[in-house]
């Protein structure tokens, strides 16, 4: 068991490092090719930051570990709200009165409704679901493009922060190659040993995806929001979390469906999806009422998240 845990953690470290390397390398490569910053932000940055979740999910589906794939999507969305926003909120309240955040919250509600509706309909993600999710992703991509063109979003500025003023070709290629090679290696270690660990513990595959994998792939967002909270600028991170959750359901969900058929277990439908809906409802209500994610709410959400993880870890489900 110790060996499986060590290799699982090694896969997680490789996955995160490779994901960061790929985003930076690809963004620099696009800049060297004179691709406008706006396009870099809308494509490389937006899709690249979902690379760990994407590769893990596709790898898990292709490897017959659909439970890990589905647990990763749902678990990441739960962690992004309850943990990634909840923990920093304990340090400093996070304002949800961010300009234009309501339209993205509405997009999150619609994406969650579509995702959960399709799953509750036939308890699987296959080609039909993939096409629906892909269509939703195109619509959300159009919203981001509109905001960027009208100067309502800072996506281009975000992209600029990932690249040097004058990127070096050799370094850029090295970062890109490391990312491309490292992602599948990390994902393979994570999925194979995660599935092995689940069998050894006698729990369903989704639990590994909901806990270890989801927590690990949410670490970059957690580090970013925590750093922003220390600077008392965490409010700007709310939009990042919303966008990340939408990408997880629509972009990663579509990729899973195109890769194969993944079925949700009865336990996942009974416990995990409702938890994701609860997390979505929590952040959506705060955004539409323009209330802060305050310290008490942060303590509450973190407590609920920990209790949920312990509940899963007991093997009760």
């Amino acid at each position: 068991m110790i060996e499986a845990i060590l290799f699982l953690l090694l896969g997680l470290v490789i996955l995160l490092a490779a994901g960061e390397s790929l985003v930076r390398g690809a963004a620099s490569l696009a800049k060297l090719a004179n691709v406008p910053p706006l396009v870099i932000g809308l494509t490389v940055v937006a899709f690249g930051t979902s690379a760990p979740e994407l590769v893990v999910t596709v790898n898990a589906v292709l490897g017959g570990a659909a439970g890990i794939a589905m647990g990763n999507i749902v678990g990441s969305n739960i962690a992004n709200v309850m943990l990634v926003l909840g923990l920093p909120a304990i340090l400093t309240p996070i304002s949800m009165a961010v300009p234009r955040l309501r339209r993205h919250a509405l997009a999150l509600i619609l994406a969650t409704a579509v995702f959960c509706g399709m799953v509750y309909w036939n308890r699987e993600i296959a080609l039909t679901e993939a096409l629906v999710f892909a269509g939703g992703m195109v619509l959300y991509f159009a919203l981001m493009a509109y905001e960027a063109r009208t100067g309502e979003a800072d996506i281009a500025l975000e992209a600029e922060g990932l690249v040097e003023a004058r990127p070096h070709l050799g370094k850029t290629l090295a970062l890109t190659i490391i990312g491309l090679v490292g992602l599948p290696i990390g994902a393979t270690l994570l999925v194979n040993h995660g599935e092995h660990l689940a069998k050894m513990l006698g729990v369903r595959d989704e639990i590994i995806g909901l806990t270890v994998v989801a927590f690990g792939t949410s670490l970059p967002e957690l580090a970013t929001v925590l750093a922003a909270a220390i600077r008392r600028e965490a409010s700007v991170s709310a939009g990042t979390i919303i966008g990340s959750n939408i990408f997880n359901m629509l972009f990663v969900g579509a990729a899973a469906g195109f890769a194969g058929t993944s079925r949700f277990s009865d336990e996942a439908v009974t416990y995990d999806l409702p938890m994701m809906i609860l997390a979505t409802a929590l952040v959506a209500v705060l955004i539409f009422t323009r209330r802060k994610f305050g310290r008490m709410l942060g303590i509450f959400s973190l407590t609920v998240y920990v209790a949920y993880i312990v509940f899963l870890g007991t093997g009760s489900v």
Side-chain angles (χ1 to χ4, degrees):
M1 181 180 294
I2 299 298
E3 181 181 354
I5 293 175
L6 290 176
F7 274 109
L8 189 149
L9 293 176
L10 175 61
L12 185 59
V13 171
I14 293 175
L15 187 75
L16 296 177
E20 175 72 9
S21 179
L22 178 61
V23 172
R24 290 186 176 277
S28 296
L29 192 63
K31 185 168 184 178
L32 284 172
N34 292 321
V35 175
L38 170 60
V39 177
I40 297 176
L42 288 172
T43 56
V44 176
V45 175
F47 289 99
T49 50
S50 294
E53 288 90 344
L54 173 66
V55 177
V56 167
T57 299
V58 172
N59 188 288
V61 173
L62 293 176
I68 292 180
M70 297 303 97
N72 181 36
I73 294 175
V74 176
S76 292
N77 279 22
I78 295 171
N80 278 347
V81 175
M82 309 301 282
L83 173 66
V84 176
L85 287 180
L87 183 57
I90 297 176
L91 300 177
T92 180
I94 301 175
S95 174
M96 292 293 164
V98 180
R100 294 167 295 279
L101 190 57
R102 285 183 174 180
R103 67 180 66 168
H104 290 274
L106 179 59
L108 175 63
I109 293 172
L110 292 175
T112 302
V114 170
F115 183 87
C116 293
M118 298 295 282
V119 172
Y120 279 117
W121 176 43
N122 59 6
R123 301 200 175 191
E124 69 177 23
I125 291 181
L127 182 58
T128 300
E129 289 75 18
L131 292 172
V132 173
F133 296 159
M137 192 66 244
V138 170
L139 292 176
Y140 186 62
F141 186 84
L143 170 63
M144 292 198 307
Y146 168 78
E147 291 188 344
R149 284 198 308 269
T150 57
E152 294 185 352
D154 296 324
I155 299 175
L157 297 178
E158 181 181 354
E160 284 293 317
L162 289 173
V163 298
E164 301 172 358
R166 295 181 179 179
H168 186 273
L169 180 59
K171 179 181 178 181
T172 295
L173 290 176
L175 286 171
T176 305
I177 292 173
I178 289 173
L180 291 173
V181 173
L183 278 173
I185 292 176
T188 300
L189 286 172
L190 198 62
V191 171
N192 290 347
H193 291 281
E195 186 177 21
H196 181 56
L197 183 61
K199 291 179 179 178
M200 293 178 66
L201 294 173
V203 299
R204 56 191 174 96
D205 287 352
E206 286 102 328
I207 291 181
I208 301 300
L210 286 160
T211 55
V212 179
V213 179
F215 175 78
T217 53
S218 294
L219 280 177
E221 288 92 343
L222 177 60
T224 299
V225 180
L226 272 174
I230 294 173
R231 299 192 306 269
R232 307 218 174 248
E233 298 174 352
S235 301
V236 300
S237 301
T240 301
I241 298 304
I242 299 299
S244 177
N245 281 13
I246 293 173
F247 269 71
N248 283 340
M249 290 182 288
L250 300 183
F251 180 51
V252 180
F258 287 128
T261 299
S262 302
R263 291 199 61 83
F264 280 76
S265 65
D266 291 341
E267 294 84 357
V269 173
T270 303
Y271 300 105
D272 306 328
L273 282 180
M275 188 65 181
M276 186 181 77
I277 294 172
L278 174 65
T280 300
L282 172 63
V283 72
V285 168
L286 292 176
I287 291 172
F288 281 106
T289 59
R290 295 188 177 276
R291 292 182 176 273
K292 291 183 178 181
F293 205 122
R295 289 187 176 90
M296 293 305 298
L297 188 55
I299 293 173
F300 170 76
S301 66
L302 191 60
T303 301
V304 171
Y305 180 73
V306 172
Y308 171 67
I309 297 301
V310 171
F311 176 64
L312 293 178
T314 59
S316 301
V317 292

